[in-house]
């Protein structure tokens, strides 16, 4: 604890901030790099063998270990691993480890719960509890690497929460995860997905971070989008797609659009044609990609998934209209794959202990 009775969150500090801390403890600055590298491997202070004992003792006194612990783990037959992580205050979040030919990717959460209220999503059913700290986002990757014994080379921010609703912590997390003395994951291997918080998109465009921005679009008219995504009542499709075009002009980074297919609601041939027209109108000449996802059915909700064939037909139709689209493989479909379901099941169990 420090003099204000607060504990420090070491894993949220950048190396230069750790340097300042070391200096304030009368230690040489190079200790900061050692500490940062240890932390990024999931080694806590008491095991930092190359640090002097008195420094370890001091750090143990002032800081708390916020590395998430594995509360539950579901392993899918395709090798996908879904984690339920426990945080220091007892809250739970989810991450999903996925194997691709180009390397391992972790899908991470950015908040405990979610305030956005999308009607097809399990993560938002109980609302938002709190923001995740930078260390708690980073810690999901470190804890998963440690548990799997494998390196993670890509990150998608598509787990529980809305990253742009936790803007400052997310930016700091990105700086931490990219740092050469830490996990050193390239910005180009990181995707950030948003339901469409326009001011956040505008701010992100100025950060000069070459990450991939994903936009959860899911509908082509304001009426339909507002019905399934309350955020659309604040920032409609025109504001959102104008911000996307400006983002591309500023960053030169290809934008990807997520489109969750909800059977009988947004998946007709006419919807595909309207989607292509909409994207051409706002994003003409810019590289874009559409990811089609068959909705993971959430039992509290009425949305239903269509067939795989109809998803592929939707993709082909987009293709014939000049829009690059793929149907997202459903990794881990035999585990509780819809984000938020594992956390919800756990919360219910803890409400009514058997
Ligand atoms: N809040 C951010 C990131 C988290 S959601 C966002 O909205 O983009 C990650 C992606 O999963 C989003 O595209 C979201 O719309 C989608 N999604 C949420 N629930 C889903 C479900 N039940 N089935 C399919 N996709 C879902």
């Amino acid at each position: 604890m420090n003099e204000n009775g607060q504990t420090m969150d070491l894993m949220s500090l950048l190396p230069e901030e750790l340097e300042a801390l070391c200096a304030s403890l009368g230690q040489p600055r190079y200790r900061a790099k050692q500490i940062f590298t240890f932390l990024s491997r999931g080694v806590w202070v008491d095991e930092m063998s190359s640090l002097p004992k008195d420094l370890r003792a001091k750090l143990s006194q002032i800081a708390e270990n916020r590395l998430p612990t594995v509360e539950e783990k579901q392993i899918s037959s395709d090798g996908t691993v879904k984690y339920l992580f426990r945080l220091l205050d007892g809250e739970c979040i989810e991450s999903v480890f996925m194997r691709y030919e180009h390397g391992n990717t972790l899908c991470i959460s950015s908040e405990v719960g979610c305030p956005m209220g999308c009607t097809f999503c399990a993560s938002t059913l109980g609302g938002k509890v709190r923001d995740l700290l930078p260390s708690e986002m980073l810690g999901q990757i470190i804890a998963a690497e440690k548990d799997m014994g494998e390196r993670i080379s890509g990150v998608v921010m598509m787990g529980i929460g809305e990253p742009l609703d936790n803007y400052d912590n997310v930016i700091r997390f990105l700086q931490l995860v990219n740092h050469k003395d830490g996990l050193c994951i390239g910005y180009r291997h990181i995707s950030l997905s948003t339901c469409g918080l326009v001011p956040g998109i505008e701010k992100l465009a100025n950060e000069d971070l070459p990450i991939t921005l994903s936009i959860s679009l899911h509908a082509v008219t304001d009426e339909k989008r507002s019905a399934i995504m309350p955020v659309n009542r604040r920032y409609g499709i025109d504001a959102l797609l104008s911000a996307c075009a400006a983002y591309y002009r500023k960053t030169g980074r290809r934008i990807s659009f997520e489109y969750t297919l909800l059977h009988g609601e947004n998946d007709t041939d006419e919807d595909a044609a309207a989607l292509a027209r909409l994207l051409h109108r706002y994003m003409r000449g810019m590289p874009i990609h559409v990811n089609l996802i068959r909705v993971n059915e959430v039992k509290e909700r009425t949305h239903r998934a269509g067939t795989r064939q109809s998803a592929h037909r939707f993709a082909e139709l987009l293709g014939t209209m000049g829009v690059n689209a793929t149907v997202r493989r459903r990794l881990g479909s035999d585990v509780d794959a819809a984000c938020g379901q594992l956390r919800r099941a756990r919360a219910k169990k803890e409400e009514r202990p058997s």
Side-chain angles (χ1 to χ4, degrees):
M1 262 189 252
N2 67 11
E3 51 280 4
N4 306 321
Q6 291 162 326
T7 48
M8 288 190 73
D9 179 14
L10 276 191
M11 241 165 67
S12 285
L13 298 183
L14 287 158
E16 53 271 28
E17 293 163 334
L18 284 171
E19 276 187 14
L21 175 68
C22 286
S24 74
L25 297 174
Q27 292 284 333
R29 288 180 183 271
Y30 67 83
R31 295 282 178 219
K33 182 174 163 183
Q34 290 178 306
I35 296 170
F36 188 75
T37 303
F38 271 128
L39 289 173
S40 71
R41 293 194 194 126
V43 176
W44 187 243
V45 171
D46 40 3
E47 294 168 2
M48 295 185 179
S49 47
S50 55
L51 297 191
K53 262 208 177 110
D54 56 337
L55 177 58
R56 278 188 266 163
K58 184 70 196 161
L59 290 173
S60 299
Q61 220 179 19
I62 59 175
E64 247 173 344
N65 187 357
R66 292 199 168 265
L67 190 69
T69 54
V70 179
E71 179 68 23
E72 195 179 324
K73 187 176 166 185
Q74 294 184 343
I75 304 173
S76 159
S77 52
D78 62 23
T80 300
V81 179
K82 184 144 193 176
Y83 286 102
L84 183 72
F85 282 122
R86 179 78 75 178
L87 305 174
L88 196 59
D89 65 355
E91 294 292 345
C92 285
I93 47 165
E94 295 172 25
S95 314
V96 184
F97 176 94
M98 295 165 288
R99 278 203 180 84
Y100 293 103
E101 269 165 33
H102 55 266
N104 299 323
T105 292
L106 195 73
C107 174
I108 64 161
S109 297
S110 56
E111 298 182 314
V112 180
C114 182
M116 304 314 302
C118 300
T119 61
F120 44 84
C121 182
S123 305
T124 197
L125 285 166
K128 169 173 157 178
V129 178
R130 67 173 175 87
D131 290 328
L132 285 186
L133 298 164
S135 57
E136 291 168 328
M137 289 183 256
L138 190 70
Q140 295 169 61
I141 307 167
I142 296 170
E145 275 196 345
K146 211 172 161 182
D147 182 71
M148 296 294 298
E150 292 181 47
R151 178 165 153 76
I152 290 166
S153 55
V155 178
V156 293
M157 306 195 78
M158 288 195 181
I160 297 170
E162 166 51 47
L164 297 184
D165 180 57
N166 184 15
Y167 190 90
D168 293 341
N169 286 350
V170 163
I171 297 296
R172 175 172 279 261
F173 154 72
L174 291 170
Q175 292 164 341
L176 289 165
V177 75
N178 176 252
H179 200 282
K180 66 174 181 10
D181 298 329
L183 293 179
C184 196
I185 298 179
Y187 285 128
R188 282 166 211 281
H189 301 282
I190 302 175
S191 293
L192 184 154
S193 181
T194 177
C195 64
L197 289 174
V198 167
I201 295 170
E202 290 167 349
K203 232 167 128 184
L204 191 64
N206 292 316
E207 301 281 356
D208 203 21
L209 302 171
I211 56 169
T212 299
L213 180 63
S214 272
I215 303 291
S216 298
L217 190 57
H218 307 327
V220 291
T221 65
D222 279 321
E223 192 188 352
K224 272 195 190 178
R225 195 164 189 271
S226 294
I228 56 172
M229 302 179 73
V231 66
N232 196 71
R233 291 175 215 148
R234 260 194 290 164
Y235 309 107
I237 289 177
D238 176 62
L240 175 58
L241 292 180
S242 302
C244 290
Y247 184 91
Y248 175 76
R249 282 194 295 271
K250 176 89 197 172
T251 64
R253 299 286 299 157
R254 179 180 90 161
I255 294 189
S256 77
F257 291 92
E258 310 289 314
Y259 193 92
T260 296
L261 294 162
L262 309 168
H263 186 56
E265 298 179 73
N266 67 359
D267 66 344
T268 64
D269 292 358
E270 179 40 42
D271 289 313
L275 177 58
R277 282 196 302 271
L278 186 70
L279 293 175
H280 281 313
R281 185 168 351 128
Y282 285 91
M283 308 295 295
R284 185 170 292 286
M286 304 179 200
I288 58 166
H289 187 87
V290 174
N291 275 314
L292 298 169
I293 314 147
R294 285 160 60 224
V295 69
N296 263 307
E297 294 179 4
V298 174
K299 68 172 183 307
E300 290 87 344
R301 305 298 205 188
T302 55
H303 302 291
R304 291 293 160 249
T307 60
R308 277 186 50 202
Q309 289 85 333
S310 69
H312 284 286
R313 181 185 159 82
F314 199 96
E316 272 165 35
L317 277 172
L318 286 175
T320 60
M321 290 176 277
V323 173
N324 223 323
T326 44
V327 179
R328 174 90 62 78
R329 265 195 308 151
R330 273 184 153 185
L331 288 175
S333 51
D334 53 342
V335 296
D336 276 332
C339 201
Q341 291 190 341
L342 205 55
R343 172 172 173 265
R344 232 180 119 61
R346 174 55 58 121
K348 281 198 174 146
K349 208 158 115 189
E350 287 175 6
E351 260 170 37
R352 281 185 265 106
S354 50

